Amino acid sequence: MKKMFGVLASLSLAACGPQIETVSFKDGLPSQEMAKLEVPTESEQRLDDGLTRVEQTLRGELSRTWLVTGGTVAFVNGVTLWSLGALNFVAGFEPTSDDGTTAVWGPHNNDWELTTWKLTAVRTAPNAFKYTLEAKPRGSADSEYAAVITGSHTVAVDDKGKAIKGYGEGRFDIDYDKAARLPHQDSKKGRISFHYARPSPTAAATVDVDLEQFVNDATVPDTAAYHYSQVPGGEGSFEFAVDSNIHWFDLSKIALERWSIKSRWTATGAGRADVRATGGDLASPVTLNECWNTNFRSTFLDGNVGSQVRWGNESTDCAFVGASYSTR
């Protein structure tokens, strides 16, 4: 009879699936690589200062749409570096307290900032956590703490319930209005939200980013959206959209158009970008299409504007045949 109960108990546990490994608080926080975007090359040109000049490309020159893509990726990675870098700086210390359910790091300071940081993480499952990174000017009262970064993270597990280090999914929000109150911070304002997923070493990685009323050096807030997808060692894509005035030179046309680019590339780096502008003072959408080779040199250029310069043959000079515009 005892043996029978033992067998039944074993079957009941098996039916519930493998027990998930309990992940430590330190391993339950996202690393910078979790939300980092990787493309075959990078540039310094940004979407907002490059879209109006993509038509200046000459055949055989570096693709302007690829330069804009790489520059925008660099911008997003810079935001990721700042946010998750701050998170991991504080988590690099031993927790001040840890009762298994909640862990607190801090208050901590580094040598080059006049800021005090405090990180609180709460376990919601053996492999899942919610966290808040707070900051205040050094020496100020605790009532001055403000939640600069809030987020959640779930560590990926294998079919045996074991944690897969460096993989998982989650999201985090950065509140630049609160960060701007800290010493030596720049002029950024607004909110940025990240949602990332890297399920396993072989699965596609995705990152979605939304900017809400974001202001850097400009006087008009940006509302922008980004989506990234990459198969390890294979094809990737990056699409982004922002509201910007295409008629900046005409004071009678001040409405904002919706600019978007969707770039796709193969494992070799050869790829294609499809650009579209809609709304605002435009009577109909404006489009531009460009392809590049493995050296990122322009091989095909087309568009629907009458004065558009065109070259190349889409069927032979493009890694991807057929336009695919962003839905952002």
Side-chain angles (χ1 to χ4, degrees):
M1 185 64 70
K2 289 182 179 179
K3 290 183 178 179
M4 183 179 293
F5 281 128
V7 171
L8 290 174
S10 298
L11 290 175
S12 298
L13 290 173
C16 294
Q19 185 174 358
I20 295 177
E21 177 184 8
T22 299
V23 179
S24 68
F25 279 104
K26 186 174 182 180
D27 291 336
L29 297 174
S31 64
Q32 292 175 337
E33 289 72 21
M34 277 288 180
K36 183 179 180 181
L37 314 182
E38 297 180 3
V39 294
T41 190
E42 293 183 353
S43 81
E44 297 179 354
Q45 192 171 23
R46 283 278 308 283
L47 169 64
D48 50 13
D49 65 5
L51 277 174
T52 57
R53 295 197 292 272
V54 293
E55 293 186 30
Q56 295 179 8
T57 311
L58 297 177
R59 187 172 189 175
E61 289 188 343
L62 282 172
S63 164
R64 288 298 179 94
T65 54
W66 178 250
L67 289 174
V68 172
T69 298
T72 307
V73 165
F75 162 71
V76 175
N77 280 338
V79 176
T80 306
L81 180 67
W82 180 88
S83 55
L84 295 184
L87 191 71
N88 285 281
F89 162 74
V90 180
F93 296 90
E94 288 297 319
T96 307
S97 63
D98 180 355
D99 63 7
T101 301
T102 302
V104 178
W105 289 262
H108 289 299
N109 305 104
N110 55 34
D111 295 333
W112 59 91
E113 283 187 318
L114 297 176
T115 301
T116 298
W117 302 91
K118 183 174 70 172
L119 172 64
T120 303
V122 177
R123 184 188 302 278
T124 58
N127 63 322
F129 305 83
K130 289 184 178 180
Y131 57 87
T132 302
L133 181 64
E134 299 174 278
K136 67 172 185 174
R138 183 186 298 179
S140 63
D142 287 350
S143 59
E144 295 298 310
Y145 271 119
V148 178
I149 301 175
T150 57
S152 61
H153 180 67
T154 300
V155 178
V157 296
D158 60 22
D159 54 4
K160 296 181 180 179
K162 298 293 184 181
I164 307 175
K165 189 173 182 179
Y167 294 90
E169 68 91 19
R171 64 170 297 130
F172 61 91
D173 299 317
I174 308 170
D175 191 329
Y176 277 106
D177 290 333
K178 294 178 179 178
R181 303 173 191 171
L182 301 173
H184 304 307
Q185 293 299 318
D186 54 26
S187 58
K188 292 185 179 69
K189 295 181 180 180
R191 293 180 64 86
I192 299 183
S193 298
F194 283 76
H195 181 211
Y196 57 88
R198 294 182 185 269
S200 73
T202 57
T206 60
V207 180
D208 289 279
V209 186
D210 289 297
L211 276 68
E212 301 174 9
Q213 295 296 303
F214 180 78
V215 178
N216 194 359
D217 297 324
T219 56
V220 179
D222 286 333
T223 299
Y226 307 81
H227 175 73
Y228 168 87
S229 178
Q230 174 70 58
V231 176
E235 294 184 2
S237 68
F238 183 52
E239 55 184 293
F240 46 96
V242 65
D243 295 324
S244 180
N245 184 12
I246 188 176
H247 305 101
W248 56 270
F249 51 86
D250 188 343
L251 296 180
S252 67
K253 297 180 178 180
I254 59 174
L256 300 180
E257 287 75 34
R258 186 67 168 178
W259 274 107
S260 67
I261 293 183
K262 182 175 181 179
S263 296
R264 296 170 284 165
W265 58 88
T266 66
T268 66
R272 172 184 184 131
D274 296 298
V275 183
R276 180 168 57 184
T278 59
D281 291 310
L282 291 173
S284 60
V286 173
T287 61
L288 183 141
N289 316 95
E290 185 178 29
C291 299
W292 58 83
N293 59 21
T294 56
N295 295 318
F296 309 103
R297 304 287 173 173
S298 181
T299 57
F300 172 80
L301 189 67
D302 197 8
N304 68 351
V305 179
S307 59
Q308 170 69 52
V309 177
R310 297 173 174 82
W311 59 67
N313 186 312
E314 183 180 24
S315 62
T316 58
D317 297 330
C318 290
F320 300 92
V321 176
S324 179
Y325 296 103
S326 173
T327 57
R328 301 282 141 178

